[in-house]
Amino acid sequence: MSGKIVTRDFSIDDYNATLQLWQRVEGLEVAEGDDKEGVAQFVARNPGLSRVAIDESRVVGVAMCGHDGRRGYIYHLAVDPAYRRYGLGKRLVQECLDGLRRVGIVRAIILLEARRLGGCPRGGANGN
């Protein structure tokens, strides 16, 4: 870890490195619609909302973010296991929430796999 992690808007050019990260993160399911074309469409409909964290030239974190005009959604939050416990996930989520506020969205749902939370009594987690 270089110690100089930068975050920026996700670009479709980040897709291949992001896919590799998603595949390394236990419990994160890459499903239908997560192919490059599907992600490109999602990002085009939600410009400037998804975030990526870069250490030198390596993608070490990502959060896909969008909205339906009323409520925001954060999907596929992933941090490289070697970069956990430094607040990077929290930073990405905060940047997504800030982006949603900029476009007038004040409520958001974060979709996480219950197994990654150590079990969640209601089978999922969402926040305001």
Side-chain angles (χ1 to χ4, degrees):
M1 182 158 85
S2 75
K4 297 189 180 186
I5 298 170
V6 297
T7 57
R8 60 169 169 73
D9 290 352
F10 176 90
S11 163
I12 197 59
D13 294 336
D14 299 315
Y15 178 80
N16 290 335
T18 294
L19 178 61
Q20 291 174 6
L21 173 61
W22 288 342
Q23 292 170 335
R24 285 194 315 269
V25 172
E26 184 180 345
L28 197 154
E29 179 183 354
V30 178
E32 184 179 349
D34 292 333
D35 60 349
K36 190 170 186 176
E37 181 180 328
V39 171
Q41 290 173 355
F42 179 79
V43 171
R45 280 191 307 271
N46 298 283
L49 295 178
S50 295
R51 306 294 296 168
V52 65
I54 308 290
D55 185 8
E56 295 179 352
S57 62
R58 182 176 180 197
V59 171
V60 297
V62 66
M64 302 306 294
C65 181
H67 66 88
D68 61 12
R70 180 175 174 265
R71 180 151 310 160
Y73 299 90
I74 300 174
Y75 306 90
H76 288 356
L77 171 63
V79 175
D80 186 296
Y83 289 77
R84 293 187 182 155
R85 305 270 181 226
Y86 295 104
L88 189 52
K90 181 178 180 177
R91 179 175 163 189
L92 290 168
V93 167
Q94 187 59 58
E95 290 178 9
C96 287
L97 294 173
D98 291 345
L100 289 168
R101 281 188 202 95
R102 278 194 304 275
V103 296
I105 305 296
V106 296
R107 294 181 58 96
I109 295 172
I110 301 173
L111 303 170
L112 297 171
E113 173 64 39
R115 291 178 297 186
R116 293 175 63 202
L117 299 172
C120 193
R122 291 187 272 151
N126 54 7
N128 294 325

